Amino acid sequence: MPSDLPPEKVRDAFAGLQATLNDSCTPGNCEYFLGRVYDELHRLDKAMKADPKGPGHFPEPIALVRKLDVELGGDRSFENLKKHQKTLIGTRDKINTWMQGHPDDYR
C-alpha cells in the first residue's frame, strides 16, 4: 500500500543525524548508538534522493552512504557495525561537514 505521507525534508533528516554528534559508543550504549547512526544516515540518504532539487544536488553525501553500504555488505548487525565503526562514524562526520558547507539545503 503506497504511503500518502510526503517525503521527509532533508533538514528534518539532517537534524536526526546531528543529534548523534554528541553521543558515542559507550558500554551499554554502543549497539544503540551505532544502529542509530546507521539509521540516521539512511534516513538522510532517502530524504536527499526524494528532495525536489533532485539527488544530483547531494552528490557527495549520497556517494558516501553508497560507499558505506558497499563496505558493510548489507549487514547492519551490531557485530558488523562495530567492526566498521570508524567508517560509520567517519561517514557521519564527513556528511555533517558537507551539510554545514551547504546551509541552504537544510534551513
Side-chain angles (χ1 to χ4, degrees):
M1 180 162 91
S3 172
D4 291 336
L5 298 173
E8 184 170 25
K9 293 187 182 312
V10 170
R11 72 165 186 253
D12 296 336
F14 182 51
L17 185 67
Q18 285 186 302
T20 70
L21 292 174
N22 294 324
D23 209 351
S24 62
C25 192
T26 57
N29 186 44
C30 196
E31 185 170 358
Y32 168 78
F33 169 68
L34 294 179
R36 176 153 184 222
V37 171
Y38 176 91
D39 290 344
E40 295 294 350
L41 283 169
H42 286 84
R43 180 177 157 208
L44 181 59
D45 184 61
K46 185 177 179 182
M48 288 177 171
K49 289 175 179 173
D51 190 86
K53 295 174 188 169
H57 191 74
F58 304 97
E60 190 172 327
I62 289 172
L64 286 166
V65 172
R66 186 179 318 115
K67 183 178 176 190
L68 173 68
D69 286 345
V70 168
E71 186 166 327
L72 293 175
D75 180 359
R76 77 165 309 278
S77 69
F78 171 60
E79 293 74 22
N80 199 46
L81 294 180
K82 182 73 174 144
K83 178 180 168 187
H84 297 283
Q85 179 177 343
K86 185 175 179 181
T87 302
L88 180 66
I89 301 307
T91 299
R92 178 201 66 185
D93 293 348
K94 287 176 188 170
I95 289 175
N96 181 59
T97 299
W98 190 92
M99 291 295 289
Q100 295 293 338
H102 298 80
D104 291 344
D105 292 326
Y106 66 90
R107 290 199 175 136

